Amino acid sequence: MSKIDDSSWCPTLLTPLNTRINEWQGKRIWLIGASSGIGAALAAAFLHLGAQVVLSARRAPQLERIAAPHTNALILPFDVQDEQAWASSHQQIQNRLGGLDLIMFCAAKYQPERSWDVRGSDAADTLQINLQSVYQGLANILPDMMQQGSGGIAIIASVAGYVGLPNASVYGPSKAALINLSELLYLDLHPKNINVYLVNPGFVKTELTAKNTFFMPALQSPEQAAIAIIKGMQQGQFEIHFPRRFTRLLKFLQILPYRWRFALFDRVFNQPGQA
């Protein structure tokens, strides 16, 4: 029996899925949802590293406060649900910066609710912000990024998209869709020299998680999240998930047979007195 030549596939297993980023100075970065939470922490970190950062969100005063100490910041407030505002903001960036090296989709809406609490209009609003706005952004930036022949797209999903969890009746499915979208974007865009990053945080202390009334294991600060995300991009990772002691547990739950998983969740979430 002849020896298998593994020289053709072993390097592939060891090579980062994305290009490593060794220097942030001068990188042109557009942060969507930069007024609070992970987006705000990323904005502060990238500005400190010398990147040219465009900060976008609906709340202009918060953006101004983050950008105030920095000459390398550009503020473009707009509503991610406004299709025309996407086109206008992107054109301003093209005019000012000549292109983008990275866009990060951080905007999100979350309401803890069981399935019987969901209201159609609220669900539509959550899906519009969490999912549809990403498609709006991609439709605007991808043609120029592909023509440029380089760049990166980072999508902030969540470990809530790994498995169906109570209290995330709309948020969870929207994040599961972002995970799926990130995977297919990588397959489409990697051959075109465009990096795609899927970010799946665990619990991070933000305005959104402040709505939770239950214990949140391995809770991290937005600053810790920003450090983990930037480190992951510097290492060329595709999926950046953290904190590992928590996310690995959820990844294990993903592979459990449904019978075992449902029985476990029933014991945790459906105890008497929990509604």
Side-chain angles (χ1 to χ4, degrees):
M1 184 175 180
S2 61
K3 182 180 178 181
I4 297 175
D5 180 8
D6 58 3
S7 61
S8 62
W9 61 270
C10 278
T12 302
L13 297 178
L14 300 175
T15 302
L17 291 176
N18 286 307
T19 304
R20 295 179 186 270
I21 301 176
N22 299 315
E23 178 60 60
W24 293 102
Q25 184 74 33
K27 292 288 186 184
R28 301 162 298 177
I29 301 173
W30 191 8
L31 285 169
I32 311 300
S35 61
S36 65
I38 295 176
L42 282 167
F46 282 131
L47 287 166
H48 178 73
L49 290 168
Q52 299 181 72
V53 183
V54 183
L55 294 82
S56 292
R58 288 179 296 180
R59 298 177 293 182
Q62 284 89 331
L63 298 179
E64 291 169 358
R65 186 179 67 252
I66 298 166
H70 305 279
T71 59
N72 51 328
L74 172 64
I75 297 174
L76 286 179
F78 77 100
D79 187 340
V80 296
Q81 300 180 80
D82 186 338
E83 184 175 355
Q84 295 304 315
W86 268 110
S88 173
S89 298
H90 179 242
Q91 188 58 55
Q92 290 183 64
I93 292 172
Q94 290 295 111
N95 295 340
R96 292 282 295 272
L97 304 181
L100 283 169
D101 298 303
L102 176 66
I103 182 171
M104 299 195 70
F105 294 95
C106 309
K109 179 181 177 181
Y110 167 65
Q111 178 62 43
E113 55 195 346
R114 299 299 289 265
S115 57
W116 51 80
D117 297 318
V118 174
R119 299 293 177 265
S121 59
D122 290 338
D125 193 52
T126 298
L127 293 171
Q128 181 79 14
I129 293 171
N130 293 4
L131 181 60
Q132 179 62 24
S133 70
V134 176
Y135 282 101
Q136 296 282 13
L138 291 173
N140 279 277
I141 64 99
L142 265 183
D144 286 322
M145 196 171 279
M146 290 174 65
Q147 184 175 15
Q148 179 178 281
S150 64
I153 297 165
I155 295 177
I156 309 292
S158 169
V159 295
Y162 283 170
V163 295
L165 292 171
N167 293 314
S169 298
V170 183
Y171 180 82
S174 73
K175 295 301 184 176
L178 289 179
I179 292 172
N180 185 286
L181 173 61
S182 299
E183 292 172 353
L184 68 87
L185 282 174
Y186 183 88
L187 292 172
D188 278 349
L189 300 178
H190 180 68
K192 301 182 184 300
N193 199 38
I194 296 175
N195 294 325
V196 177
Y197 306 95
L198 166 62
V199 182
N200 284 320
F203 290 111
V204 179
K205 190 175 183 179
T206 67
E207 295 175 1
L208 300 184
T209 56
K211 300 176 182 180
N212 290 333
T213 58
F214 54 84
F215 172 70
M216 293 177 282
L219 181 67
Q220 293 199 313
S221 70
E223 290 73 25
Q224 288 175 306
I227 290 171
I229 292 168
I230 293 173
K231 180 180 178 181
M233 289 192 287
Q234 288 175 170
Q235 294 175 344
Q237 297 174 13
F238 166 67
E239 186 192 8
I240 303 167
H241 61 96
F242 56 88
R244 294 295 181 96
R245 64 186 183 277
F246 178 60
T247 56
R248 283 172 175 158
L249 172 62
L250 290 179
K251 284 181 174 291
F252 172 71
L253 292 177
Q254 277 185 304
I255 64 174
L256 285 179
Y258 281 119
R259 184 178 300 277
W260 295 0
R261 191 198 306 175
F262 289 159
L264 175 62
F265 286 176
D266 184 61
R267 291 176 64 88
V268 173
F269 294 105
N270 293 328
Q271 294 301 308
Q274 293 189 357

